[in-house]
């Protein structure tokens, strides 16, 4: 009888490699003090309000607090990037945390300064989606991350580098977060030029320090629960927030390999369509009846995440050209009607949150006035939608006058003339859009001394409105593709014949060499 070998049990790693919490923290504090005092390079600590960045900042804070005043020679900048579409609960938590942190640091005389970073108005989520018509982000068109998160923080770091020559980034990244993160961190670790400091591949003259890179999620929570928050914010409240964002409502600190940890929950943009489902917001609404006011946000996010949104998008690309993929046009930006509807839905969600949310949400802005003004400019100036519908939508939803400034320029047609033009064009939307753009282009060049750009702009408007409808556009795109293929085939054949002829001529010349010339 063949014996079946027993599986070797997987040995679970002991917390802090058996050294214990106290010894680990003391060693980490000594390391931070040593690295801080080695040079005059300023530190920039990334803080999101989550568990990892909170643990990292606590370690730095406690290390600074143990140093004498004369040794605290350089600033520590704490930066957080507000994408303006953060989960409202987390956003409120982070904003309040920064206020408390700044006040406490000044009280204790610590060289810690807080900075809340936001994207440029032209880069915000709603300006790009509602204004320009960018479709909701997808893995193959991930236009949001660079604009909302990377550019603001990189801009701040570059400013530090310009002022001081170098900067050290202190981040709460951990190898245990994912296999990909572990590979990246290990690759950077191999290139270290200084102890514990890795080069930043994206920003020259900046180094990365990751104090808790080898910690597990359970070790992070163990530290947060046993070491009090030094700026006076409650780590137990942070744990409660994580519990509320976990589907099973639990956040165990000591677990076996099959037990999920609430460290797996992810807080981020409530509009994110790069994930299949917003698990954290869904769990918050499910676990806490008092957070049902977030339902309008969740519904809007889910409506943005359409599997097939062709009905909401133009069959032409952003600049009016038509491209085929598998004999179908690649959809372009959201149509005017779709963009107006997204704005209406967003303002309605904002009103619902203000009305049904807790008191601190009574003045929440899901979209700022500056964003509304930029969207209005894009619609009227860049897209020639001189109906100027944004203020009308605002009044319709909010029930109050639009607080923005009057337009800097007169519109080519009044409301009555626009209605007449729409009536004359009937159901031919493309005809209406083309005439509207031609009128707007001509008006904008009317008072210019040199009207150099008039004819190219008119030509572009005619190219954009050349088609009768989508079917007509697809027919012309196929014809262009067939013509280009035919030209390419003819050119390829000509080149082959030319090469063959040249080869034959070379052979002929070689055979008919005159005697004595070889």
């Amino acid at each position: 009888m063949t014996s079946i070998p027993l599986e070797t049990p997987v040995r679970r790693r002991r917390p802090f490699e058996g050294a214990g919490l106290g010894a680990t923290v003391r060693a980490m504090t000594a390391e931070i003090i040593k690295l801080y005092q080695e040079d005059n390079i300023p530190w920039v600590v990334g803080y999101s309000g989550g568990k990892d960045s909170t643990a990292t900042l606590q370690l730095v804070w406690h290390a600074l607090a143990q140093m004498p005043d004369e040794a605290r020679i350089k600033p520590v900048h704490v930066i957080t990037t507000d994408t303006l579409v953060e989960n409202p609960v987390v956003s409120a938590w982070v904003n309040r945390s920064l206020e408390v942190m700044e006040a406490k640091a000044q009280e204790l005389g610590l060289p810690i300064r807080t900075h809340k970073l936001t994207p440029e108005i032209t880069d915000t989520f709603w300006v790009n989606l509602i204004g320009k018509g960018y479709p909701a982000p997808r893995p193959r068109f991930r236009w949001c991350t660079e604009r909302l998160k990377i550019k603001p923080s990189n801009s701040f770091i570059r400013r530090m580098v310009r002022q001081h020559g170098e900067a050290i980034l202190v981040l709460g990244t951990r190898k245990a977060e994912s296999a990909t993160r572990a590979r990246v961190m290990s690759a950077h670790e191999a290139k270290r030029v200084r102890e514990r400091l890795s080069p930043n591949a994206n920003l020259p003259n900046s180094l990365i320090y990751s104090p808790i890179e080898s910690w597990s999620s359970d070790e992070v929570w163990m530290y947060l629960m046993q070491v009090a928050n030094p700026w006076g914010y409650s780590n137990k409240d942070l744990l409660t927030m994580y519990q509320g964002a976990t589907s099973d409502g639990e956040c165990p600190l000591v677990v076996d390999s099959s037990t999920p940890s609430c460290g797996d929950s992810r807080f981020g943009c409530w509009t994110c369509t790069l994930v299949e489902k917003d698990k954290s917001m869904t769990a918050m609404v499910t676990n806490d009846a008092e957070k049902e006011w977030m339902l309008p946000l969740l519904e809007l996010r889910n409506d943005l995440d359409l599997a097939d949104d062709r009905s909401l998008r133009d069959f032409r690309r952003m600049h009016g050209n038509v491209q085929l993929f598998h004999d179908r046009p690649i959809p372009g930006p959201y149509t005017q009607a779709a963009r107006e509807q997204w704005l209406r839905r967003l303002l309605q969600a904002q009103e619902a949150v203000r009305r049904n949310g807790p008191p601190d949400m009574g003045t929440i802005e899901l979209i700022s006035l500056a964003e509304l003004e930029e969207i209005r400019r894009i619609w009227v100036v860049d897209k020639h939608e001189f109906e100027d519908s944004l203020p009308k939508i605002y009044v319709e939803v909010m029930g109050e006058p639009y607080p923005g400034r009057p337009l800097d320029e007169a519109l080519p047609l009044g409301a009555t003339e626009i209605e007449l033009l729409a009536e004359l064009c009937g159901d031919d939307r493309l005809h209406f859009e083309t005439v509207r753009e031609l009128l707007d282009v001509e008006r904008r060049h009317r008072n210019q001394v040199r009207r150099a750009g008039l004819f190219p702009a008119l030509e572009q408007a005619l190219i954009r409105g050349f088609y009768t409808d989508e079917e007509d556009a697809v027919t012309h795109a196929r014809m262009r593709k067939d013509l280009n293929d035919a030209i390419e085939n003819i050119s390829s054949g000509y080149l082959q014949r030319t090469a063959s002829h040249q080869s034959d001529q070379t052979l002929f010349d070689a055979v008919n060499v005159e005697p004595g010339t070889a």
Side-chain angles (χ1 to χ4, degrees):
M1 181 177 178
T2 305
S3 61
I4 301 177
L6 297 176
E7 291 186 4
T8 303
V10 178
R11 184 183 69 85
R12 184 169 177 79
R13 173 177 170 270
R14 295 180 63 190
F16 299 108
E17 298 292 352
L21 173 62
T24 300
V25 171
R26 285 191 294 274
M28 186 67 66
T29 301
E31 177 182 279
I32 292 172
I33 292 175
K34 176 177 178 293
L35 289 174
Y36 178 86
Q37 293 180 324
E38 280 184 345
D39 50 54
N40 292 320
I41 303 173
W43 282 16
V44 179
V45 182
Y47 176 71
S48 67
K51 69 183 193 314
D52 296 334
S53 62
T54 299
T56 299
L57 182 55
Q58 278 197 190
L59 288 167
V60 173
W61 186 295
H62 282 298
L64 290 173
Q66 292 184 26
M67 297 168 59
D69 293 344
E70 61 273 14
R72 297 196 283 256
I73 56 176
K74 61 186 182 184
V76 174
H77 300 280
V78 178
I79 64 171
T80 185
T81 302
D82 183 356
T83 63
L84 303 180
V85 283
E86 300 290 330
N87 181 309
V89 173
V90 181
S91 180
W93 167 275
V94 173
N95 290 338
R96 178 59 182 154
S97 177
L98 291 176
E99 294 173 2
V100 173
M101 190 186 304
E102 180 77 22
K104 192 66 174 179
Q106 290 184 10
E107 176 188 331
L108 298 177
L110 299 179
I112 293 176
R113 300 294 177 266
T114 61
H115 307 268
K116 178 180 171 183
L117 311 178
T118 57
E120 297 289 338
I121 286 298
T122 54
D123 287 334
T124 68
F125 185 86
W126 296 120
V127 165
N128 282 277
L129 188 139
I130 296 177
K132 298 175 184 178
Y134 281 17
R138 291 289 184 270
R140 292 191 176 183
F141 188 39
R142 192 170 180 158
W143 55 264
C144 53
T145 306
E146 173 73 21
R147 289 173 169 85
L148 304 185
K149 296 184 177 181
I150 298 176
K151 287 177 66 175
S153 58
N154 283 2
S155 177
F156 182 90
I157 295 164
R158 288 192 181 98
R159 188 160 66 249
M160 290 294 103
V161 171
R162 285 195 300 269
Q163 293 176 1
H164 304 278
E166 289 181 279
I168 294 176
L169 313 184
V170 185
L171 305 177
T173 51
R174 297 182 298 107
K175 294 179 180 179
E177 288 182 85
S178 68
T180 302
R181 177 62 59 86
R183 285 195 301 271
V184 171
M185 293 182 69
S186 296
H188 289 167
E189 186 177 340
K191 300 176 183 178
R192 283 177 176 168
V193 293
R194 289 177 56 184
E195 182 185 5
R196 298 283 281 142
L197 300 179
S198 302
N200 188 335
N202 299 318
L203 291 172
N205 296 336
S206 62
L207 298 170
I208 298 176
Y209 173 42
S210 307
I212 63 170
E213 62 183 14
S214 61
W215 288 20
S216 68
S217 179
D218 293 336
E219 288 169 339
V220 173
W221 281 120
M222 185 183 298
Y223 169 69
L224 292 176
M225 290 301 100
Q226 297 191 35
V227 178
N229 185 293
W231 55 90
Y233 227 47
S234 172
N235 287 341
K236 291 184 178 179
D237 289 345
L238 177 64
L239 174 62
T240 301
M241 188 166 65
Y242 267 83
Q243 287 175 323
T246 308
S247 59
D248 57 9
E250 297 179 0
C251 190
L253 301 182
V254 180
V255 296
D256 57 30
S257 58
S258 63
T259 304
S261 168
C262 69
D264 295 330
S265 63
R266 287 291 180 266
F267 300 122
C269 303
W270 66 267
T271 56
C272 185
T273 51
L274 293 171
V275 292
E276 183 178 348
K277 183 180 180 182
D278 189 334
K279 295 181 180 179
S280 64
M281 183 175 285
T282 301
M284 283 183 177
V285 174
T286 303
N287 295 340
D288 189 350
E290 293 183 358
K291 290 190 173 62
E292 288 186 358
W293 56 267
M294 299 174 70
L295 270 175
L297 307 186
L298 193 59
E299 291 170 354
L300 178 55
R301 179 263 167 212
N302 291 339
D303 288 344
L304 281 170
D305 193 19
L306 281 177
D308 185 358
D309 59 359
R310 285 177 176 269
S311 62
L312 303 177
R313 296 168 64 181
D314 200 323
F315 61 85
R316 299 162 296 182
R317 305 305 299 275
M318 189 68 78
H319 297 289
N321 57 315
V322 177
Q323 290 181 275
L324 298 182
F325 182 73
H326 293 320
D327 213 33
R328 296 184 68 189
I330 300 173
Y334 287 129
T335 63
Q336 180 180 351
R339 286 183 278 110
E340 291 176 350
Q341 184 59 17
W342 288 134
L343 175 61
R344 187 174 287 105
R345 290 283 308 280
L346 178 60
L347 292 175
Q348 289 170 344
Q350 178 175 281
E351 277 297 278
V353 171
R354 288 180 176 182
R355 184 172 57 252
N356 302 319
D360 59 338
M361 295 294 166
T363 58
I364 187 174
E365 284 188 344
L366 298 183
I367 183 170
S368 67
L369 178 59
E371 290 175 285
L372 290 170
E373 290 283 81
E374 177 61 13
I375 291 170
R376 186 187 188 190
R377 188 201 65 79
I378 292 172
W379 285 6
V380 175
V381 177
D382 296 349
K383 294 184 177 294
H384 311 284
E385 296 166 0
F386 53 69
E387 301 96 316
D388 193 21
S389 58
L390 186 145
K392 303 171 189 174
I393 295 173
Y394 186 92
V395 172
E396 169 194 327
V397 177
M398 306 297 288
E400 59 186 39
Y402 177 65
R405 300 188 307 261
L407 287 174
D408 294 333
E409 51 191 82
L411 300 175
L413 297 179
T416 304
E417 289 84 357
I418 293 174
E419 291 179 5
L420 180 59
L421 176 60
E423 182 180 339
L424 290 173
C425 294
D427 295 332
D428 194 342
R429 181 67 187 180
L430 285 179
H431 187 193
F432 171 79
E433 292 178 356
T434 303
V435 174
R436 181 181 64 183
E437 184 171 350
L438 291 171
L439 286 170
D440 197 41
V441 167
E442 192 280 331
R443 180 192 60 81
R444 293 183 187 283
H445 289 79
R446 183 180 303 163
N447 297 324
Q448 294 182 2
V449 177
R450 294 183 69 255
R451 306 173 75 182
L454 174 60
F455 291 113
L458 291 174
E459 182 181 12
Q460 184 61 38
L462 291 172
I463 291 174
R464 195 192 316 274
F466 172 77
Y467 313 105
T468 304
D469 51 26
E470 181 175 347
E471 183 178 350
D472 182 44
V474 171
T475 300
H476 280 86
R478 288 171 181 160
M479 290 172 58
R480 284 197 303 272
K481 182 178 183 302
D482 293 342
L483 181 61
N484 290 334
D485 290 344
I487 293 173
E488 186 177 342
N489 290 334
I490 292 173
S491 300
S492 177
Y494 173 77
L495 291 174
Q496 289 178 357
R497 290 194 298 273
T498 301
S500 177
H501 174 74
Q502 290 176 344
S503 177
D504 292 344
Q505 185 64 43
T506 301
L507 179 62
F508 177 82
D509 293 343
V511 172
N512 293 280
V513 174
E514 293 183 7
T517 62

